[in-house]
Amino acid sequence: MQESAPVHPFRAELSATLRLAGPLALANMLQMAVFAVDVIFVARLGQESLAASSLAVAIVAVLMMGLNGVTGAVAPLIAAEIGRRRNSVREVRRSARMALWLAVIIGVAAVAVCFTGEAIMLATGQDPRVAEISGGFIRVLSLALVPMAVANVLRTFVSALGRPVFATMITALAIAVNALGNYALVFGNLGMPALGLNGSAVASTITACVTVLAYVLAIQSDRALRRFHVFGRWWRPEWSRLRQMLALGLPIAATLIAEGGLFSGAAFLMGRVGEAELAAHTVALQIAAFAFQVPFGIGQAATIRVGYHFGAADKAAIGRAGWAAIAIGMAFVCLSALAMLVFPRTILSAYIDVSAPANAGLVALALQYLFVAAVFQLTDGLQAIAAGVLRGVQDTRVPAVIAIVGYWLAGFATSVALGLFTPLRGVGVWIGLAVGLTVAAALLLARWHWRGRFGLLPQAPRPVSAPVIHAVIA
């Protein structure tokens, strides 16, 4: 019988990355659908409520990015431990346990920040009435931060251990729970009180708690995951692992906060420009962020794939994993950019009634912002994946500096200049976003390309092949 031809290593890496990235990207998109449910229900309360919620979510999003950044260091650590195959069960458990510790400790601190939300909004020049409404909303919404951070750690754990489909299924469940919660609590259906805007925040908190419970049940019901005893002896500290996670995670948090802060800062700038511009910005940003979830998921998969090979000290495989992720991501963002350019009104209609005369001004502004979003799809996707592959080789400090320089010195400064001091107004703010993402993408890609020159690769290869690593996570 004739033997089948061997699969080219790069093609095999493409396939492995797609198998991991597919469920993660879908889970990310479903997570955006969870957030979109909130926007859809809140938008029906009026433009003032939508503007107030967008300001609160801008603050919560930055805090959540910081939380996910610090605890997200568990991904390259777990991947490298599996790649090394030395006491992987014990080492993976230690990493997951300390990530859960950080999720709770830093999450509580983030809740405290949210209770100063109204003061933050007033200090940035927001309308006092909108700031008051938003301040009450963010205090309720902050209760979701800790369970959301815990859920993110558990999601990373199951994904790195070869079960990313759990993330997809659980996030789909979260959509249903959040939709039901908003339906019942915002407008007082199903015998529940009509809480208005705060009802949406309560629904988000309930959804986050249900998500954590679902991950716990999934882990405990799966034999391959259960053997890690990730919830065992949760009170036992692993100080060296905690320090290692902070060393990797704090720069990741700085990177994500810098990027999230750029977009949240843009929301505050829009609040200065006008209420209509802020509402249009909120809708357009939801669409851009939804499309971004695919390259973001590919970047998450790249961190794990590159991390496996980094642990095995396979330099050639590290390169293949990184370039495979970048190739897949660029193929997708070209399609998403084309869709925004060709069908912008159709895409907008998923969020608002584009034919209603009352929405004419909002639609006109959102269409302008979507055009700019289509232009920066390429660099937005590229910077997300490049950051992901660099995390796989546990390089986080320099990318954090790149993020601050690109997003703030280049991007936000441009947004301020064009948005507040030129007739471009809201479009100028979005042009600044494009500038920041492009600068960051170019610098991150250059660092990955010259990874050997920067000393980011392991010193000597180990005799561990990619097929063995696949078997470990099967």
Side-chain angles (χ1 to χ4, degrees):
M1 185 171 63
Q2 188 176 11
E3 294 184 4
S4 60
V7 179
H8 190 278
F10 187 75
R11 183 177 176 183
E13 189 59 54
L14 281 172
S15 178
T17 301
L18 280 170
R19 286 196 301 272
L20 181 56
L24 288 175
L26 181 56
N28 288 341
M29 295 174 76
L30 291 173
Q31 186 63 59
M32 285 302 302
V34 175
F35 299 144
V37 167
D38 295 328
V39 174
I40 290 169
F41 277 93
V42 170
R44 282 159 173 76
L45 294 174
Q47 187 167 288
E48 185 180 63
S49 292
L50 181 59
S53 68
S54 69
L55 291 177
V57 170
I59 295 175
V60 170
V62 172
L63 292 171
M64 199 64 233
M65 285 182 176
L67 277 167
N68 290 346
V70 176
T71 59
V74 72
L77 288 176
I78 287 179
E81 287 151 5
I82 294 173
R84 282 190 289 269
R85 298 195 65 194
R86 294 185 302 182
N87 300 317
S88 62
V89 171
R90 183 180 65 185
E91 297 304 318
V92 167
R93 180 170 59 247
R94 288 175 173 176
S95 293
R97 183 192 303 152
M98 290 300 96
L100 290 171
W101 274 40
L102 289 174
V104 174
I105 295 170
I106 303 178
V108 170
V111 171
V113 173
C114 287
F115 272 72
T116 66
E118 183 177 352
I120 293 173
M121 295 167 203
L122 290 173
T124 58
Q126 305 307 309
D127 179 85
R129 171 61 180 166
V130 173
E132 180 184 2
I133 297 172
S134 185
F137 175 73
I138 197 174
R139 284 192 291 273
V140 180
L141 185 60
S142 68
L143 301 178
L145 281 171
V146 172
M148 286 171 66
V150 170
N152 186 68
V153 173
L154 298 180
R155 167 185 161 146
T156 302
F157 171 76
V158 301
S159 300
L161 270 296
R163 300 291 190 273
V165 69
F166 284 171
T168 306
M169 296 169 61
I170 291 171
T171 310
L173 170 66
I175 295 175
V177 173
N178 197 41
L180 182 62
N182 273 275
Y183 175 75
L185 295 170
V186 173
F187 300 109
N189 295 308
L190 304 178
M192 302 300 292
L195 301 178
L197 185 58
N198 287 344
S200 181
V202 174
S204 296
T205 302
I206 293 172
T207 301
C209 294
V210 171
T211 301
V212 171
L213 179 61
Y215 273 115
V216 172
L217 293 175
I219 292 168
Q220 294 301 101
S221 65
D222 185 276
R223 187 173 66 177
L225 298 177
R226 190 170 60 244
R227 72 189 185 94
F228 285 87
H229 300 289
V230 70
F231 303 114
R233 298 183 179 180
W234 56 266
W235 60 86
R236 181 176 178 178
E238 301 286 348
W239 300 119
S240 61
R241 185 57 48 86
L242 187 67
R243 287 192 293 270
Q244 184 181 14
M245 191 166 294
L246 285 171
L248 283 176
L250 286 174
I252 297 176
T255 300
L256 295 180
I257 288 175
E259 181 179 5
L262 173 65
F263 287 94
S264 294
F268 281 88
L269 287 179
M270 286 294 192
R272 298 284 295 271
V273 173
E275 191 174 287
E277 284 82 356
L278 177 56
H281 169 83
T282 301
V283 175
L285 190 58
Q286 280 284 321
I287 295 169
F290 185 81
F292 173 73
Q293 298 314 305
V294 174
F296 185 54
I298 295 169
Q300 292 171 317
T303 297
I304 295 171
R305 292 296 309 164
V306 172
Y308 292 151
H309 300 306
F310 182 79
D314 189 335
K315 296 180 181 180
I318 288 172
R320 286 195 299 270
W323 290 118
I326 290 171
I328 294 169
M330 290 302 96
F332 172 81
V333 295
C334 286
L335 293 176
S336 63
L338 183 63
M340 289 183 190
L341 291 173
V342 178
F343 308 111
R345 292 183 68 88
T346 302
I347 296 172
L348 273 177
S349 66
Y351 290 85
I352 56 175
D353 184 355
V354 297
S355 61
N359 292 335
L362 188 151
V363 170
L365 290 169
L367 288 173
Q368 296 178 44
Y369 304 158
L370 270 185
F371 178 82
V372 183
V375 173
F376 70 58
Q377 282 293 293
L378 293 176
T379 53
D380 195 12
L382 180 57
Q383 62 86 24
I385 299 170
V389 298
L390 288 171
R391 286 169 200 151
V393 295
Q394 300 187 11
D395 178 39
T396 60
R397 294 184 181 180
V398 172
V401 175
I402 290 173
I404 293 170
V405 171
Y407 302 144
W408 285 91
L409 296 185
F412 192 71
T414 302
S415 289
V416 171
L418 297 181
L420 300 184
F421 301 104
T422 75
L424 289 172
R425 295 169 61 82
V427 173
V429 173
W430 276 69
I431 291 173
L433 299 179
V435 170
L437 294 169
T438 301
V439 171
L443 294 175
L444 289 170
L445 184 64
R447 185 162 178 82
W448 167 251
H449 179 70
W450 285 299
R451 58 194 177 279
R453 185 179 302 177
F454 289 119
L456 304 180
L457 297 176
Q459 295 302 310
R462 305 177 196 274
V464 180
S465 62
V468 173
I469 297 172
H470 298 330
V472 171
I473 64 168

